Each structure stands twice: as C-alpha cells, then as structure tokens.
Amino acid sequence: VSSFFRTPANSLVESWVVQNANVHRLNYGAMRWWGSISYAAMAIGLSFVLPRLSSGVDCTFYLYFLTMIPLLLLCLKLKDNGQ
C-alpha cells in the first residue's frame, strides 16, 4: 500500500527538485550526491544508536519524526513558482 502512494510522490518530488535547481541555478548533481551521503550517514548512525536504546526498534518512528521536523520547517519556507 505504501508503494502505491510513495512511487508517484518520488517522481513529483524529483521533478520539483530539478525545477527549483534550475530556477536557483544550483548544481542538481551535487544536491543528489549530498542527499545520498546524508542518507548513508543517517543509516550508519542509526545502526549504532538503535541497539543501544532501551526500546530499540520501537522508537524508530519517534527518531524519524524528530529528524523530519527541520526538513518540514525548511519546506514551509520554500516557494513554488506556480508552473
């Protein structure tokens, strides 16, 4: 069920990122590279942190939520050019 919603959302987000990279004259390749590096760093970091927490995997939802708050706040500041 989640793939049904996630697959189209990924394409839309990718299109939005490319469009904004062009508008703001940003290097799209560098954005993708740093995104991949950040994802890998978080995955490795969480693989060390989660086993040491008392609740283990049960708290992953809350950790995910806490890491998404800054991203959501940043997204609220972005503007769409209406295309």
Side-chain angles (χ1 to χ4, degrees):
V1 173
S2 70
S3 292
F4 179 77
F5 294 103
R6 207 179 311 169
T7 302
N10 287 340
S11 299
L12 289 172
V13 168
E14 197 69 29
S15 172
W16 181 61
V17 169
V18 170
Q19 184 181 35
N20 280 304
N22 289 333
V23 167
H24 298 290
R25 300 188 193 287
L26 299 172
N27 185 351
Y28 174 72
M31 291 170 58
R32 286 294 306 257
W33 186 76
W34 281 108
S36 297
I37 295 296
S38 300
Y39 181 84
M42 286 297 291
I44 291 169
L46 285 177
S47 71
F48 288 109
V49 170
L50 285 178
R52 287 161 179 75
L53 295 175
S54 60
S55 59
V57 178
D58 295 336
C59 68
T60 55
F61 174 77
Y62 302 108
L63 286 173
Y64 179 78
F65 180 73
L66 288 174
T67 58
M68 290 301 291
I69 290 173
L71 181 61
L72 291 172
L73 293 174
L74 178 65
C75 287
L76 289 174
K77 296 182 97 176
L78 295 175
K79 296 180 182 178
D80 189 10
N81 59 3
Q83 292 182 348

